[in-house]
Amino acid sequence: MSAFDSFPLGQPAFVTNVLDRAAHLRRDDEKLFAMERKPTSRAYVVHRDSLLVKHEGEAKRALLSIDEALKCGANPGTIFLGLRDGAAVFGMGMSQAAAEKLVGGQDYALTELRGMAMQGAIAPQELSAVAMAKSMVSWHQRHGFCANCGTRSAMKEGGWKRDCPACKAEHFPRTDPVVIMLVASGEKCLLGRQKQFPPGMYSCLAGFVEAAETIEDAVRREILEESGIRCTDVQYYMTQPWPYPSSLMIGCSARALNEDVVVDHSELEDARWFTREEAALMLTRTHPDGLAGPHPFAIAHHLLGRWVRDKSGA
């Protein structure tokens, strides 16, 4: 099975969650500590954008025992992600010093998560739990101090809250909503590329939802700002958690009202219209000019693929 086969249409990465979040256990510290000591408990260990894996022949195993995680230098303060088949699963981070000690090792390695997901090196059903671990570890690393008074805050409720001992403020993990949209005009769709994209790659336009803004307004605003295209008939498709560092991609489609593209070069390197036939070739990496669409692990691929399949347009 290729990496492309791992994410069939409508099933991008990070959407299949096999864990029972078991939120009722988060306030029971004694039970969580006891579960952490059980030999059946497991952990995903993340460091920045990388995941700790154990080499087992040609395969890589990301779900480690707690002892394996601690042996590699993972931080003992664990985040309770939930239960899988009755066994506890935790998320753990590690320091830069611990990460550097793994360099050149034979049994364990830190491997960039996005690359492993794109290559199909991790089972798709594991990716949601990995994304949860990455997002939560990143949040704790970035929010160690109270935003209200600056005092060092403490991890609570299995890692799903931080409390300030001084001003008693409570802090909770945040998720940033992002709209990502496929805009069409008849038999053409609008795609853009950023400078950091691989050569020849085009994808759907996207942007953060601003304060007091609806999803529909965000779609219309972002498309207009980045490409000069006005659109209407905004329709919701699906969402995808995106742990970079902790976003929720809200997939939508829309119908263009004009076709004169004016690119905002502070946001995009290029934006242009593609026919349905061109888009189909880009998705299969067979475009004669070497152009390519987004990888199937990203929701943009599925927005584009659905439009290619749907002869009625957006």
Side-chain angles (χ1 to χ4, degrees):
M1 177 182 288
S2 71
F4 274 53
D5 297 327
S6 299
F7 306 105
L9 195 60
Q11 297 180 43
F14 310 122
V15 300
T16 304
N17 193 352
V18 296
L19 296 184
D20 171 6
R21 291 180 181 243
H24 63 284
L25 296 175
R26 294 174 184 172
R27 296 187 181 184
D28 193 335
D29 289 342
E30 282 192 22
K31 194 158 192 174
L32 288 180
F33 289 142
M35 293 169 71
E36 197 174 328
R37 292 192 294 268
K38 285 188 176 182
T40 55
S41 294
R42 295 291 182 265
Y44 291 107
V45 181
V46 295
H47 176 66
R48 297 182 179 173
D49 288 340
S50 295
L51 178 68
L52 179 64
V53 296
K54 183 174 184 180
H55 293 293
E56 295 181 332
E58 296 297 319
K60 297 176 181 178
R61 175 165 56 86
L63 193 57
L64 308 177
S65 70
I66 302 298
D67 286 344
E68 288 174 328
L70 294 175
K71 174 185 175 182
C72 292
N75 297 329
T78 54
I79 300 160
F80 177 62
L81 303 180
L83 303 174
R84 182 170 184 178
D85 299 326
V89 180
F90 295 89
M92 304 173 76
M94 64 175 12
S95 67
Q96 180 65 31
E100 289 174 354
K101 289 182 180 179
L102 294 172
V103 176
Q106 299 297 316
D107 296 330
Y108 297 89
L110 282 166
T111 307
E112 199 266 330
L113 173 58
R114 189 187 305 228
M116 284 202 297
M118 292 176 69
Q119 295 162 16
I122 303 177
Q125 61 267 26
E126 281 195 83
L127 290 173
S128 178
V130 173
M132 198 191 316
K134 183 185 181 306
S135 293
M136 292 297 292
V137 167
S138 295
W139 179 71
H140 282 288
Q141 291 174 340
R142 294 166 183 261
H143 296 83
F145 295 86
C146 177
N148 188 50
C149 73
T151 302
R152 181 75 171 176
S153 58
M155 182 188 292
K156 297 292 183 181
E157 296 189 11
W160 290 86
K161 184 173 81 165
R162 295 190 72 92
D163 282 351
C164 177
C167 70
K168 309 305 178 185
E170 298 177 317
H171 304 280
F172 298 91
R174 61 176 290 169
T175 296
D176 298 314
V178 178
V179 288
I180 181 166
M181 41 275 173
L182 194 285
V183 180
S185 179
E187 291 296 303
K188 296 182 293 186
C189 70
L190 180 69
L191 301 175
R193 61 171 281 108
Q194 298 178 353
K195 292 181 180 179
Q196 67 267 29
F197 282 5
M201 177 185 162
Y202 281 76
S203 187
C204 298
L205 274 58
F208 286 98
V209 180
E210 295 187 345
E213 186 175 44
T214 66
I215 292 171
E216 293 84 357
D217 281 346
V219 168
R220 289 187 284 262
R221 175 184 56 78
E222 285 288 344
I223 292 295
L224 180 61
E225 289 177 356
E226 294 186 358
S227 68
I229 299 298
R230 299 183 181 277
C231 61
T232 187
D233 297 342
V234 177
Q235 300 290 324
Y236 167 78
Y237 172 44
M238 68 177 297
T239 56
Q240 179 189 29
W242 193 250
Y244 297 98
S246 186
S247 297
L248 182 66
M249 309 299 289
I250 305 168
C252 297
S253 62
R255 180 170 60 86
L257 294 174
N258 64 296
E259 295 185 359
D260 299 327
V261 177
V262 180
V263 179
D264 178 359
H265 288 287
S266 67
E267 296 282 344
L268 300 173
E269 183 179 78
D270 187 30
R272 50 171 281 202
W273 295 100
F274 293 89
T275 67
R276 202 183 299 269
E277 290 73 19
E278 283 183 292
L281 294 172
M282 292 165 69
L283 288 175
T284 57
R285 305 298 200 270
T286 56
H287 194 284
D289 296 331
L291 301 180
H295 191 280
F297 93 118
I299 191 175
H301 174 97
H302 301 263
L303 281 163
L304 186 57
R306 185 183 67 143
W307 177 77
V308 166
R309 185 188 63 184
D310 182 7
K311 298 301 182 183
S312 64

